[in-house]
Amino acid sequence: MTKRVIRFSLILASVVGCILIIQWKGYTSVKDAATLNIEQTFSVRHTHDEFAVKQVIANLPEGMYSVRFPAKAMEIDCKSGEDKACRWVNGSNSKLKAKDETLTFSYKLKAPKKVSGLLLEDWGAIIEEAPNITTRIQLTEHNWRNGTWAAGAELAGMEKMEAIDYYVFETEDRVPPLYWQENALAPMEMNQHLTIYSEGKPPLNTSVFQKLVPDEKLFIIMSGHAKELAETGKLIIVPKNKKNVEEELARLLLERKLSFRKGNEWIPDLIASVMLDTPAHNNKVEKMRKTMLSVLTEDQIERWLESSLSAGSEMITSEMLDELLEDTAGIKTDFFQKNADMGKAFQPFYFLDRRKIYIEGRKAEDIKILFQNDRTYISFIPLIKKLGFRILDPSKPDEMMIEKNGDKYHFVFSKKLFAKNGQQFGFQKNPFFTDQNEIYLDAAALKGLFDLEVKENSDEINIQ
């Protein structure tokens, strides 16, 4: 009895082990499919009313795979190795068991008989477990001989023969979109990642678009046939004659190239308008652009743009744009941060002083010094507190009464008049301004108001 139990246990363990080995082999094969150098070649033949597609897949490891054919594919056939029928494991022919052999899919798609342009998207079979695949497309055109084919893939070759036109495209994508139009297209390589097809010379500032290098390869078609801008995978179709198409395309490429935090969608508009020297779409962003042009030199703007475009995967924020101004132009400001909320009113540009500030010998961390139009402004409320003044009635935002050692001052921030101990005095110009609910005082008024001197050097500002 004991021998029989032991023998049965050994047999059971062997069966379980075999099952696990088989399952593990299938699992690892499918897993390997995502990392191996799988290659596929499409042969696409276009006649007057159909596309005949032959798709050959090589280097696919043994395993179970899910196959998705084009929704409108007809006469689907599948061969494994040397003309053997594929082993489908379900009734819908969507999951097959593959050995370490070449797979060949054949199918047909209907083609329109007469069009001025055509975009083919869902035209190739996809193996779900093989996202990384090298693709080569050999397309022969028998019917539409006057037009041009393009793709969301590299044009590796094109030849016009006596009876056909022959195209070869190559890409790392599984099934790139294909595009045809009746008017001839010519490719122009802007840089290693950006190719633009156009009917003649593209109406673009090429020096600008050469700088818009995305991390992925992109292919743009500027077409007189297209009515609206369309994106499909790595192919972007742009209406050539649309107004502001250059700015729209630049913003789109910036969004592909850089990363932006939610709520900062205005930043591509700003960068594109500065690069192209054209008005921004948003009125507030346009004010920001004009302010930059009035404050910065051409060289400073160019260096700020270069730094912005070099951010890579780092998130572009309003804080970063201010920091880049300091790094590239030596200007410290919070201009972009103050204007980041498109729902709020535009805030003017001020330089922030980077020097240390001392009030009567004590370092003041919470006081800001601003420069604008040759005037120097200082944070008013932190200043008077550090000087020992007491605010008598803080409830009125537009005016203020303060007191120290029996001296009382009354200020109305919208006027150039003030009262000291009931006696009225005035300034030639209103020394106050408000920025985001913070009150600033012209430093030139410190002597007349509080008999304070401002002494400064390259590192420090001393108010005493």
Side-chain angles (χ1 to χ4, degrees):
M1 181 69 180
T2 303
K3 290 182 180 179
R4 194 177 301 170
V5 171
I6 293 172
R7 191 182 303 118
F8 177 77
S9 299
L10 290 173
I11 294 171
L12 182 62
S14 299
V15 171
V16 171
C18 290
I19 292 172
L20 288 173
I21 290 171
I22 292 170
Q23 287 180 334
W24 177 252
K25 185 176 182 182
Y27 169 77
T28 54
S29 298
V30 172
K31 183 180 178 182
D32 289 344
T35 57
L36 288 178
N37 183 26
I38 303 170
E39 299 175 350
Q40 65 178 357
T41 300
F42 288 95
S43 298
V44 183
R45 184 169 58 88
H46 174 229
T47 57
H48 72 288
D49 63 351
E50 72 177 20
F51 295 101
V53 183
K54 181 180 179 182
Q55 179 178 353
V56 180
I57 302 171
N59 301 331
L60 188 69
E62 182 177 348
M64 201 79 69
Y65 295 95
S66 303
V67 182
R68 177 162 52 86
F69 286 98
K72 296 183 179 180
M74 306 174 296
E75 302 178 32
I76 296 173
D77 184 47
C78 177
K79 292 288 190 292
S80 177
E82 297 182 3
D83 209 30
K84 294 181 291 185
C86 292
R87 296 178 60 189
W88 298 103
V89 297
N90 61 356
S92 61
N93 287 5
S94 61
K95 189 175 286 289
L96 61 79
K97 187 174 183 180
K99 293 186 176 181
D100 191 8
E101 295 180 311
T102 298
L103 285 178
T104 304
F105 302 138
S106 300
Y107 46 92
K108 293 180 179 179
L109 299 166
K110 284 186 178 180
K113 293 184 179 180
K114 186 172 178 60
V115 288
S116 57
L118 176 70
L119 176 63
L120 278 178
E121 294 184 84
D122 179 25
W123 65 271
I126 290 176
I127 295 179
E128 302 287 1
E129 293 81 4
N132 302 321
I133 193 163
T134 301
T135 300
R136 183 180 177 87
I137 302 166
Q138 300 167 344
L139 188 151
T140 55
E141 178 57 74
H142 291 259
N143 194 36
W144 298 337
R145 303 295 307 282
N146 294 326
T148 304
W149 280 96
E154 204 79 57
L155 179 63
M158 181 181 74
E159 190 173 352
K160 287 188 174 289
M161 303 179 188
E162 187 174 338
I164 63 168
D165 293 343
Y166 182 73
Y167 299 82
V168 177
F169 300 101
E170 294 178 346
T171 181
E172 299 298 321
D173 283 354
R174 294 191 285 191
V175 184
L178 297 173
Y179 176 84
W180 177 88
Q181 72 167 46
E182 193 172 21
N183 297 334
L185 291 167
M188 177 184 289
E189 194 172 87
M190 292 287 111
N191 50 57
Q192 60 179 341
H193 284 165
L194 182 62
T195 300
I196 297 179
Y197 288 83
S198 181
E199 303 162 9
K201 186 178 179 181
L204 299 172
N205 185 332
T206 54
S207 63
V208 168
F209 283 85
Q210 285 169 354
K211 299 174 184 176
L212 294 175
V213 185
D215 292 333
E216 56 182 339
K217 284 199 172 185
L218 292 178
F219 304 87
I220 296 170
I221 295 173
M222 301 203 72
S223 168
H225 166 74
K227 297 293 187 292
E228 295 293 335
L229 188 147
E231 297 180 68
T232 171
K234 294 183 179 179
L235 184 66
I236 302 171
I237 302 171
V238 179
K240 180 180 178 182
N241 301 319
K242 186 178 179 182
K243 186 180 178 182
N244 299 327
V245 65
E246 188 177 43
E247 296 94 310
E248 188 173 0
L249 181 57
R251 284 196 302 275
L252 187 149
L253 290 175
L254 283 167
E255 289 167 1
R256 289 265 195 153
K257 175 180 173 58
L258 302 172
S259 301
F260 302 96
R261 184 184 296 166
K262 187 177 180 181
N264 283 333
E265 291 81 3
W266 56 271
I267 297 180
D269 188 17
L270 174 67
I271 296 176
S273 64
V274 172
M275 290 185 74
L276 294 167
D277 195 21
T278 55
H281 278 199
N282 182 282
N283 289 334
K284 184 175 180 180
V285 176
E286 174 60 8
K287 289 181 180 178
M288 294 164 70
R289 184 186 77 90
K290 286 183 175 179
T291 299
M292 290 182 67
L293 294 177
S294 67
V295 171
L296 304 176
T297 66
E298 287 186 16
D299 181 61
Q300 287 172 334
I301 287 176
E302 190 61 32
R303 284 188 281 123
W304 179 81
L305 282 172
E306 287 178 6
S307 298
S308 301
L309 295 174
S310 302
S313 59
E314 190 175 355
M315 192 77 69
I316 300 274
T317 62
S318 57
E319 291 87 353
M320 177 188 283
L321 295 183
D322 283 324
E323 289 170 4
L324 291 179
L325 270 185
E326 183 172 7
D327 293 341
T328 61
I331 295 171
K332 185 172 178 59
T333 182
D334 55 0
F335 175 65
F336 296 115
Q337 296 172 66
K338 290 189 300 184
N339 285 292
D341 188 343
M342 291 294 105
K344 294 183 178 179
F346 174 76
Q347 300 294 320
F349 187 97
Y350 300 104
F351 296 92
L352 290 171
D353 199 308
R354 292 174 290 182
R355 292 175 292 177
K356 298 174 183 177
I357 301 170
Y358 292 87
I359 307 294
E360 296 182 332
R362 297 187 301 275
K363 189 175 181 181
E365 299 284 359
D366 56 344
I367 287 182
K368 288 195 291 187
I369 299 272
L370 309 183
F371 299 106
Q372 188 194 43
N373 300 329
D374 298 324
R375 298 179 76 180
T376 302
Y377 294 92
I378 187 167
S379 306
F380 182 61
I381 294 177
L383 171 67
I384 60 174
K385 287 182 176 179
K386 289 195 181 318
L387 292 173
F389 282 93
R390 182 168 57 94
I391 299 174
L392 298 179
D393 184 5
S395 64
K396 297 178 180 179
D398 299 326
E399 59 183 282
M400 183 177 293
M401 292 186 67
I402 61 175
E403 184 271 334
K404 176 183 176 182
N405 298 331
D407 288 327
K408 293 182 180 180
Y409 293 80
H410 182 203
F411 302 101
V412 178
F413 300 128
S414 62
K415 298 179 179 180
K416 58 182 181 181
L417 299 174
F418 73 97
K420 178 179 180 182
N421 298 326
Q423 187 175 356
Q424 190 165 283
F425 298 89
F427 299 97
Q428 289 184 343
K429 294 181 180 179
N430 187 348
F432 294 102
F433 88 89
T434 303
D435 180 53
Q436 293 186 310
N437 299 321
E438 187 169 357
I439 308 298
Y440 288 86
L441 173 69
D442 189 339
L446 288 174
K447 177 67 175 175
L449 273 178
F450 307 122
D451 196 27
L452 292 172
E453 297 284 351
V454 179
K455 296 181 180 180
E456 53 189 295
N457 56 42
S458 59
D459 299 318
E460 299 176 357
I461 297 174
N462 288 277
I463 299 173
Q464 54 190 23

